[in-house]
Amino acid sequence: MKRSFALLCLLALAVVLRAQPDISHIQLDNRIYANGIRSVTLSAGYLQDKPIISLGGGEITLNFDDLEETSRYVKYTILHCTHDWQLSDMNPIDYIEGFMEDEISSYDYSFNTIEHYMQYHLTIPNDQMRPTKSGNYILYVYDDTPDQPILTRRFMVTEDVQAGVTGSVHASSVVADRFTHQEVDFVVNSGPYAVRNPIMTLHATIQQNGRWDNAIVGLTYRSGFPGEYSFDYDDGRNTFPGGAEFRTFDTRTLRTNGDRIVGINFNHRQNHAYVVQDDARPFGAYESRNTLNGGCYYHNIDMENKFSEDYVHTHFTLKSPFPFTEGDVYVFGQLTDWNILPEAKLHYNEQYQFWETDLFLKQGLFNYQYVLVPQKGGPIDPSYIEGNHYETHNDYAVYIYFREEGSRYDKLIGVEFFTAGR
């Protein structure tokens, strides 16, 4: 009997101290894996707030729609990552207080919509799960078992006491990029953190407009003295193409044409909206306008009820005086989850001589741009269609990570935000 009891205790301990789940089939970034999952948002507050909380307070909220309304047993866990988004060398029990996984049991059904869907909701931290270490995290949502992924989202947890970060955004110091690129310079005051080997233990990440595909990760300091470290480079390693102000459209109402919508109809039991024809502008002059910097905001102004936003086949057309010989062009922004999606690829319409595609999008206010995916590989290129301007109003986030001597993880000790052109 004693032997059996001891065996049961060992089995229970093994469950509690289990290692990271096998996630070799997913990527540690923002992705959607399951069919029918759309309109994913993860934020710490209203609209565009970054998914960042501190160890001592705050919460982030996940919302996503399931258009298939299939029978899913939706569960989630969180995974701690290094400053460069690799899995940390820690067991989940080292950074999770509570259960290692839990069910997402909060959901609502759409109301009075043509396209029916379920919207799931999750808030972190909660009574079942709370992160206990600062740093980078992946929120991993899956169907019953971790080998059936639904989606992944990145979020960050900061230390309660933070290092100071001061800086600015200005035109690039590289002469050739003076009128097309923006440079993010900053100084870190480590404050209470004793940084003894900064070149190895102190790293910075710079993020433009909430994107991760072009983020500068693992930047080390250029100069400084104990307690103050400068990340002021003049060789281009901390610069971004300025791009152009994002294009916009508004489908918050389907009763009349919203901003930059030239037509709305209902065909084959589906809503359709037509965005005004766009023109390629790689060499045009800079045009100033207020935008969400690539973001989107889901809303239906015709109904006061929650979950009344319908889905709309949104049609895009692009007129270009030159062929796309360098690669393929896609619609891009938060409306595509900041990813290159097959359905966002533009196809040439021989009859009308423009490029077109349509996306099935929830009602709302949207920003977007056109990007080139080069045939030869390499990073996506918005400037091929949109052009580059150093005056563009881009948002930047700077994250400062520090790994203490003897520690197995990167603390997030500082966060600061900057805006170019404002």
Side-chain angles (χ1 to χ4, degrees), residues 214-329:
N214 68 338
I216 297 172
V217 178
L219 190 65
T220 56
Y221 83 107
R222 179 188 182 189
S223 62
F225 51 86
E228 187 170 295
Y229 304 94
S230 172
F231 291 77
D232 185 348
Y233 286 92
D234 55 13
D235 58 3
R237 72 181 69 183
N238 56 338
T239 64
F240 291 80
E245 304 295 350
F246 283 83
R247 304 173 193 261
T248 66
F249 68 90
D250 187 350
T251 55
R252 289 177 295 176
T253 177
L254 297 179
R255 295 179 179 176
T256 60
N257 293 343
D259 181 39
R260 299 194 73 247
I261 297 295
V262 295
I264 294 172
N265 64 40
F266 183 73
N267 191 19
H268 299 294
R269 293 193 53 79
Q270 293 287 336
N271 295 305
H272 293 262
Y274 298 84
V275 182
V276 66
Q277 181 176 283
D278 293 308
D279 293 313
R281 52 181 182 180
F283 308 112
Y286 170 70
E287 299 178 10
S288 177
R289 70 171 67 92
N290 291 323
T291 72
L292 301 175
N293 281 338
C296 58
Y297 169 51
Y298 303 117
H299 189 52
N300 178 357
I301 63 176
D302 294 326
M303 300 188 67
E304 297 181 0
N305 305 78
K306 290 185 176 180
F307 319 113
S308 64
E309 297 90 355
D310 215 330
Y311 276 80
V312 185
H313 285 280
T314 308
H315 300 260
F316 300 84
T317 56
L318 174 66
K319 198 78 172 179
S320 174
F322 52 87
F324 302 156
T325 58
E326 302 297 321
D328 296 316
V329 174

Side-chain angles (χ1 to χ4, degrees), residues 122 328 401:
L122 172 69
D328 296 316
Y401 300 90

Side-chain angles (χ1 to χ4, degrees), residues 3-190:
R3 185 176 180 181
S4 298
F5 178 75
L7 181 60
L8 286 174
C9 289
L10 287 173
L11 289 173
L13 184 63
V15 171
V16 172
L17 297 177
R18 81 181 194 275
Q20 298 271 20
D22 179 13
I23 57 167
S24 57
H25 52 287
I26 67 169
Q27 300 183 54
L28 299 178
D29 59 8
N30 295 339
R31 299 278 172 174
I32 296 174
Y33 297 89
N35 293 332
I37 303 301
R38 294 180 181 270
S39 307
V40 183
T41 61
L42 180 66
S43 68
Y46 178 74
L47 197 58
Q48 293 293 92
D49 285 356
K50 300 285 191 301
I52 306 171
I53 56 175
S54 70
L55 285 173
E59 60 185 26
I60 55 173
T61 301
L62 172 73
N63 293 295
F64 64 92
D65 296 344
D66 184 355
L67 274 60
E68 292 193 348
E69 297 182 281
T70 56
S71 177
R72 304 186 197 266
Y73 183 24
V74 182
K75 301 168 74 174
Y76 72 97
T77 190
I78 58 176
L79 308 169
H80 194 278
C81 296
T82 61
H83 73 91
D84 56 354
W85 295 99
Q86 304 298 313
L87 283 181
S88 297
D89 185 24
M90 289 194 295
N91 191 287
I93 199 172
D94 295 329
Y95 58 82
I96 296 177
E97 177 185 302
F99 295 100
M100 301 299 107
E101 65 177 5
D102 192 30
E103 178 186 1
I104 301 181
S105 56
S106 177
Y107 57 85
D108 290 278
Y109 291 94
S110 61
F111 176 79
N112 199 30
T113 57
I114 300 299
E115 182 67 39
H116 301 294
Y117 58 88
M118 297 170 60
Q119 184 176 113
Y120 288 87
H121 324 284
L122 172 69
T123 298
I124 293 177
N126 53 56
D127 293 339
Q128 309 302 318
M129 188 181 300
R130 176 181 298 272
T132 61
K133 299 287 192 296
S134 70
N136 291 337
Y137 282 85
I138 292 291
L139 171 57
Y140 180 32
V141 179
Y142 49 91
D143 187 356
D144 191 20
T145 58
D147 61 347
Q148 301 182 77
I150 293 177
L151 63 89
T152 50
R153 292 292 125 169
R154 290 179 173 181
F155 72 96
M156 286 74 72
V157 179
T158 70
E159 293 287 323
D160 291 330
V161 178
Q162 295 194 38
V165 183
T166 57
S168 63
V169 183
H170 53 84
S172 174
S173 299
V174 179
V175 175
D177 297 335
R178 172 66 179 80
F179 297 103
T180 58
H181 287 60
Q182 296 172 341
E183 181 175 311
V184 185
D185 293 325
F186 53 96
V187 175
V188 176
N189 186 327
S190 60

